[in-house]
Amino acid sequence: MGGALSDGLSATFMGYLRADGSVGVRNHVLIVSILGLVNRVAARIADSVAGTLLVETPYGRGQYGADKTLHRAMLGGLCLNPNVAAVLIVGADRRAVDDIAALAASGGKPVRIVALDDTHEDSLAASAAGIRVAGELVHAASRLQRTRQPASRLFLGVECGHSDATSGLVANPVAGSCVDRLVDAGGTAVVGETVEWLGAEHILARRAATPMVAEAIVAAVLRREAEVAASGQSLTGNNPGSENIRGGLSSIEEKSLGAIAKTGTRPISGLLQVAERPSVPGLHLMDGPSFSPESLTGFAASGAQLMLFTTGAGNSFCSAIAPTVKITGRPQTAKLLPDQIDFDASAAFLGREDIGPLGARLFETVLAVASGAATWGEIHREGGEAFVRVGASM
């Protein structure tokens, strides 16, 4: 993927300009099941209409307080992601369906609904109606054309999973070098997994654009550390996990020092909550879970169109909505998983290439994927989305 190395400031890609001014790198028609009662209805629709993408949740009833607020924000955020051309909302009662539909429509994209309320609880009739509507949305979306856009319109989510010693030494610094290039071009990036800043939060705080951001970064880490301790759990043996320990990581502090390398070196503009959209370009952190599926979905709900995902031993999970570029610095992984790893950075581990040139080549890969080149995760349909819970249901 990619051709001759481009200057980040003049770099461009081919994307879909949306009504709200955002730019998509994919052109999905999203079929969104907003509660577990209608997951099969939504799945039948998605299975029957080519060009659709299914997002479903097992939740949606009995949630309250902060948990309900976050769930609604994630549903709305995924619908508003620039990679989504149109949305079909599938639900049970019209009030809930209309609420999420209004969020989705706030971005100016076509939104249609299917509700059991409108079919006298007949799920088969709802599926049939949805198939016809989804077909119409795909037909219209297929007429949209890519246009040339500056790299400043890109928003990257940056993740790591199944990390080992090569992650902190190679893959994460290469991703960080790519992030620096994007930020210098006026683009946006976000890095999450708050627990994996533990022991390195002071380093991140020193890069904060303002004292308020610095205080927020430290406070987020302390809060999560206290919550884990209050539950009676220990980070030891849980994070780093067994796969991290097998890969040579001895402690959460050591893992964190490697993990923050993927943030690059530029100032940190802000600390986002899950599904919160950045108000300014630049590098951001997200106070979110350390489980990759939840973390990536949080990025997608905040508007990220593309993901960088570094791994040591290999990690197959990808975002469904945002193409996910898998990166490794481990030679064995690159050799064993050639049809899963999109970017092989192991030349740096072997001493054959420096981090900077690899970061430049990764940036070219990002531009190629943004312009339509498929990732292995897309080819193998590895994508999914996972909703974050912060409370129990009533």
Side-chain angles (χ1 to χ4, degrees), residues 191-228:
V191 175
E193 300 183 305
T194 312
V195 166
E196 296 192 1
W197 314 335
L198 179 61
E201 66 271 24
H202 60 292
I203 299 173
L204 293 172
R206 285 202 296 264
R207 291 168 51 199
T210 68
M212 185 178 298
V213 173
E215 292 172 7
I217 292 169
V218 174
V221 174
L222 292 177
R223 177 179 62 82
R224 290 198 178 252
E225 184 182 19
E227 288 174 352
V228 172

Side-chain angles (χ1 to χ4, degrees), residues 1 324 338-342 374-382:
M1 299 177 182
T324 303
D339 55 357
Q340 296 178 50
I341 298 299
D342 299 289
T375 64
W376 283 117
E378 291 179 293
I379 291 167
H380 296 305
R381 296 181 180 176
E382 288 283 1

Side-chain angles (χ1 to χ4, degrees), residues 364-391:
E364 292 297 317
T365 298
V366 166
L367 297 175
V369 171
S371 297
T375 64
W376 283 117
E378 291 179 293
I379 291 167
H380 296 305
R381 296 181 180 176
E382 288 283 1
E385 305 297 347
F387 285 77
V388 179
R389 295 295 305 270
V390 294

